[in-house]
Amino acid sequence: MLDDAIKTQLKDYLGRLSAPLQLTHFADDSEASGKMGQLLADIAGASERVTVVEKRGDAAERTPSFAIHRPDEAPRVRFAGLPLGHELTSLVLALLHVGGHPPKVDEATLKQVEALEGDYRFESYFNVSCQNCPDVVQALNMMAARNPHVQHVAIDGSLFRDEVDARKVMSVPTVLLNGEPFSVGRQELEQILAKVDEGASDRQAEVLNEKDPFDVLVVGGGPAGAAAAVYSVRKGFSTGLVAERFGGQLLDTLGVENFISVVETEGPNLASALENHVRAYPVDVMKSQRAQKLEGTGPFKLTLANGAELEAKTVVLATGARWRNIDVPGESEYRNRGVTYCPHCDGPLFKGKRVAVIGGGNSGVEAAIDLAGVVAHVTLLEFADTLKADDILQRKLKSLDNVDIITSARTTEIAGDGEKVVGLRYEDRTSGDEKSLDLQGVFVQVGLLPNTEWLKGTVELNQYGEVLIDAHGQTSTPGIYAAGDMTTVPFKQIIIASGDGAKAALGAFEYIIRSTAPAA
């Protein structure tokens, strides 16, 4: 099941176990169960501390599945499926955490996990091609490993299709708590804790309010924000970084092949590397915090959604951008019920179904190509009279037998039956005729929208909502700098955002030394 290189790495990791582990395999005669047995045997072969026990036909458990637990404890961490692909790291971390190896979590957060009381039975649905799922799976597994009040089972949606259909799971990661919907989409540990731990937000606000003013406060944790934080702290400035999630759009990007010096990587891996780089310096990282208001002329005051206030001599804005909505009836009503924005994550849930992709740029065409290998049929709709994607992508798309391309199409409605998407309506912009498609999924790929609504009236924005900056990254307000996809920089690329983040930090450095220089 596992190749020799992975087995060697696994043996090294499992050498860190401080307690024996039992892998309980709930097995049947299916091919998936056979592969699961091979995987568990490979794990047991990598450490004398790991044993495998097989139980067949257990009606109380999903089959095939397996639990990771200590021999003297009831199972709290389970996988209903093969945790390979993006979830292989989740498997390794679950083994380590249940086996007593301490997680890489700050002490305050770990104590918050261990202090939870009550009954928390989490179920999460994932697929191995989803780059958003591992954060959720790993957070819930760690919580279950550290707290006897928490249980978690990670379920491969493609393996348990009947269950997915019955529960109307149409996007991953989807999480249920005690049988009720809890969340859809990427969630970090801090965000999960904020939802289950009453009073956590108020306690966080109290801690944040006690912080001393920063020299430089970076708002945003993507490539621009990470670069700005590193450059600022290396100048000897006290530096804080506030972010809803570290990594920004990288967390939703599958392949990265144009970040110079890195031949090929995946977005979440690059995001992790950025965070590790920032944390290698004394940067005060404040995750899962949403900026709400920025005011002042220096010092500046940043108000967060939980009511906390932070002060700084200068601010570097790097809040990035998000997927743009098409703003038609049915889009918000059926979000995660057939309307989705991530073909890599959610594509396998539409296996054998008919779907549409809205958007004829590179993202849209790449999504259609990707989906064509999974679903029954793809219809790509583009508003303009021609596709905007690169020629090589268009040629590939047009070579696929199960893809239709419709140009000059204005989507007017996403139709549903009250529970899920059943179709799409569009206007033929050439003839003016209204037309409809019968389908079960709609993947929206129509570009990005800058995360700048909260800055109106603070800095000058252009007609697209982008922050206007000069050659040094300074905004219309002296002392406030901006970088990355939220700005007027013409090309939205990872490497450009990183460079602009560094430039903005250097601009802030220059601003501080000039504004604090003694009078002549």
Side-chain angles (χ1 to χ4, degrees):
M1 169 61 64
L2 300 177
D3 62 36
D4 291 339
I6 293 178
K7 288 179 182 178
T8 299
Q9 291 177 330
L10 185 61
K11 185 174 182 179
D12 178 60
Y13 286 129
L14 296 186
R16 306 172 193 178
L17 295 176
S18 60
L21 285 182
Q22 179 176 312
L23 307 179
T24 301
H25 181 198
F26 301 97
D28 57 20
D29 295 324
S30 67
E31 180 182 356
S33 185
K35 291 181 178 179
M36 188 174 290
Q38 295 175 33
L39 174 64
L40 300 184
D42 286 346
I43 295 171
S47 173
E48 295 180 353
R49 285 181 170 267
V50 181
T51 57
V52 179
V53 174
E54 183 177 299
K55 294 186 177 181
R56 298 188 66 83
D58 192 325
E61 298 290 340
R62 292 177 179 85
T63 304
S65 66
F66 66 95
I68 304 171
H69 59 108
R70 300 187 186 186
D72 59 343
E73 292 183 345
R76 301 196 300 268
V77 175
R78 294 174 171 85
F79 284 96
L82 287 170
L84 300 175
H86 287 293
E87 294 298 343
L88 182 58
T89 299
S90 301
L91 170 60
V92 174
L93 289 175
L95 294 166
L96 291 175
H97 295 161
V98 176
H101 188 71
K104 292 183 177 180
V105 178
D106 67 79
E107 189 64 26
T109 303
L110 191 57
K111 287 182 178 179
Q112 188 181 359
V113 169
E114 294 172 342
L116 289 174
E117 296 181 354
D119 179 24
Y120 301 94
R121 293 176 290 104
F122 287 102
E123 300 166 283
S124 67
Y125 290 87
F126 73 91
N127 69 62
V128 296
S129 66
C130 169
Q131 71 268 29
N132 290 323
C133 296
D135 277 358
V136 173
V137 172
Q138 291 165 23
L140 294 174
N141 279 345
M142 191 278 288
M143 291 172 62
R146 300 293 297 204
N147 188 321
H149 299 294
V150 181
Q151 299 178 38
H152 174 229
V153 54
I155 307 158
D156 185 345
S158 62
L159 184 60
F160 291 86
R161 294 291 311 177
D162 291 343
E163 184 174 327
V164 163
D165 292 340
R167 283 182 152 175
K168 300 179 176 63
V169 175
M170 304 191 74
S171 182
V172 291
T174 288
V175 179
L176 281 72
L177 173 57
N178 298 335
E180 298 295 327
F182 178 76
S183 68
V184 178
R186 179 187 293 273
Q187 293 261 301
E188 294 187 339
L189 174 61
E190 293 83 357
Q191 294 170 300
I192 295 171
L193 286 173
K195 295 182 70 171
V196 299
D197 185 5
E198 294 183 6
S201 180
D202 291 339
R203 293 197 302 273
Q204 288 178 350
E206 290 177 4
V207 172
L208 293 172
N209 280 330
E210 294 298 319
K211 293 184 181 292
D212 293 331
F214 296 97
D215 292 324
V216 179
L217 181 59
V218 179
V219 187
V230 169
Y231 266 73
S232 294
V233 77
R234 283 174 59 87
K235 288 295 185 181
F237 288 155
S238 62
T239 304
L241 186 149
V242 174
E244 283 197 73
R245 57 177 192 162
F246 211 107
Q249 292 177 60
L250 284 178
L251 300 175
D252 305 319
T253 303
L254 185 61
V256 178
E257 299 177 355
N258 57 358
F259 192 80
I260 308 306
S261 82
V262 179
V263 176
E264 182 180 0
T265 187
E266 294 180 345
N269 293 338
L270 184 54
S272 178
L274 289 177
E275 183 171 359
N276 290 339
H277 194 169
V278 169
R279 290 186 181 276
Y281 292 95
V283 176
D284 190 342
V285 177
M286 295 159 276
K287 294 170 64 175
S288 300
Q289 301 296 333
R290 180 165 58 85
Q292 192 170 67
K293 185 178 182 182
L294 179 62
E295 54 190 337
T297 56
F300 299 96
K301 182 173 70 175
L302 179 71
T303 303
L304 305 178
N306 61 8
E309 295 179 348
L310 302 170
E311 289 190 0
K313 295 177 182 176
T314 60
V315 175
V316 176
L317 302 170
T319 51
R322 64 189 183 276
W323 289 114
R324 186 183 296 272
N325 295 327
I326 53 175
D327 295 325
V328 300
E331 181 181 21
S332 61
E333 292 88 339
Y334 292 100
R335 187 186 300 269
N336 300 319
R337 293 192 292 164
V339 176
T340 181
Y341 301 80
C342 182
H344 305 297
C345 303
D346 300 333
L349 297 176
F350 293 84
K351 183 177 181 179
K353 298 180 179 180
R354 300 178 69 86
V355 303
V357 173
I358 300 176
N362 283 349
S363 296
V365 172
E366 287 175 350
I369 293 170
D370 185 26
L371 290 166
V374 178
V375 304
H377 186 271
V378 180
T379 302
L380 184 142
L381 297 98
E382 164 57 36
F383 182 85
D385 57 1
T386 59
L387 300 183
K388 295 170 287 186
D390 296 341
D391 287 343
I392 189 171
L393 295 175
Q394 293 192 42
R395 291 198 300 272
K396 175 62 178 178
L397 182 69
K398 293 172 182 177
S399 72
L400 302 175
D401 294 334
N402 63 335
V403 174
D404 288 336
I405 300 170
I406 303 175
T407 57
S408 299
R410 183 176 70 88
T411 303
T412 56
E413 182 183 1
I414 295 172
D417 62 4
E419 294 185 348
K420 61 185 183 300
V421 168
V422 298
L424 177 149
R425 297 185 179 91
Y426 69 96
E427 175 193 5
D428 183 326
R429 296 176 56 242
T430 301
S431 65
D433 294 340
E434 290 285 339
K435 299 185 178 182
S436 63
L437 299 170
D438 294 329
L439 42 79
Q440 291 78 49
V442 177
F443 291 78
V444 180
Q445 302 280 291
V446 292
L448 300 171
L449 191 68
N451 296 316
T452 58
E453 293 88 348
W454 64 287
L455 291 167
K456 291 179 179 178
T458 302
V459 296
E460 188 177 354
L461 310 177
N462 69 6
Q463 60 181 322
Y464 305 109
E466 298 169 326
V467 178
L468 293 166
I469 57 173
D470 65 14
H472 295 263
Q474 184 168 272
T475 69
S476 58
T477 301
I480 299 180
Y481 292 77
D485 288 3
M486 69 181 300
T487 73
T488 50
V489 64
F491 303 111
K492 315 301 186 185
Q493 296 290 310
I494 298 168
I495 196 165
I496 293 174
S498 297
D500 281 354
K503 182 171 64 176
L506 293 174
F509 165 73
E510 185 178 68
Y511 173 84
I512 290 177
I513 61 173
R514 289 181 180 275
S515 62
T516 58

